[in-house]
Amino acid sequence: KWCCPTGRKVQSSRLGPTPPRLLTEEEYRLQGEVETRKALEELRSFCQSPDFSAWTTVSRIQSPKRFAEFVGGASHVTPDEVSVHEREYGLDSLFIDEQLFEEDYEEEEEEEEEMGSSSS
């Protein structure tokens, strides 16, 4: 049964599929950056194609000048947007979150100690 390929196939199908390998944080971040760049380039390319209805799109968006700059190769985010994102999701926010959770943890410990001493 084990020596022939069909026997191995039958045996492995009984075991079920193997779960996919999870990405590390670094792999996840890198994959996100690569896929975002690729998608933005595809969008730029489509916007420059003859199939794209520029007038219809420009008439519907809030900032046609910014859109035109993006299609021409400019960044899809402004420096202000980058700054806001860094404040909310960057290393500074991780430090703030850590401090907030640490304070919550200390408050919970104090409450538990008070409850423990009042019940005895």
Side-chain angles (χ1 to χ4, degrees):
K1 184 175 176 179
W2 287 101
C3 64
C4 64
T6 55
R8 276 184 256 142
K9 282 184 183 178
V10 170
Q11 184 65 28
S12 66
S13 67
R14 288 184 193 153
L15 298 175
T18 58
R21 185 182 73 81
L22 300 177
L23 299 175
T24 65
E25 283 188 49
E26 180 63 21
E27 290 171 327
Y28 178 79
R29 185 192 59 73
L30 185 60
Q31 182 179 359
E33 289 175 9
V34 167
E35 293 300 321
T36 298
R37 263 190 250 112
K38 189 167 81 174
L40 288 169
E41 284 306 314
E42 288 175 9
L43 178 59
R44 275 192 187 100
S45 178
F46 174 73
C47 291
Q48 293 170 351
S49 75
D51 297 332
F52 179 69
S53 175
W55 287 112
T56 304
T57 303
V58 168
S59 68
R60 293 180 180 174
I61 60 177
Q62 291 179 346
S63 182
K65 182 177 185 240
R66 182 174 171 190
F67 176 71
E69 289 170 349
F70 163 75
V71 172
S75 178
H76 65 291
V77 291
T78 64
D80 288 340
E81 291 169 335
V82 171
S83 174
V84 168
H85 183 271
E86 283 299 315
R87 274 198 312 274
E88 290 184 18
Y89 302 105
L91 293 175
D92 290 342
S93 75
L94 293 176
F95 177 72
I96 291 169
D97 286 348
E98 201 173 275
Q99 286 183 325
L100 290 173
F101 287 123
E102 189 175 294
E103 289 172 8
D104 289 345
Y105 179 72
E106 289 171 359
E107 289 173 5
E108 287 175 9
E109 281 185 336
E110 289 173 5
E111 289 174 4
E112 287 175 6
E113 287 175 4
E114 289 174 6
M115 292 176 91
S117 63
S118 64
S119 63
S120 4

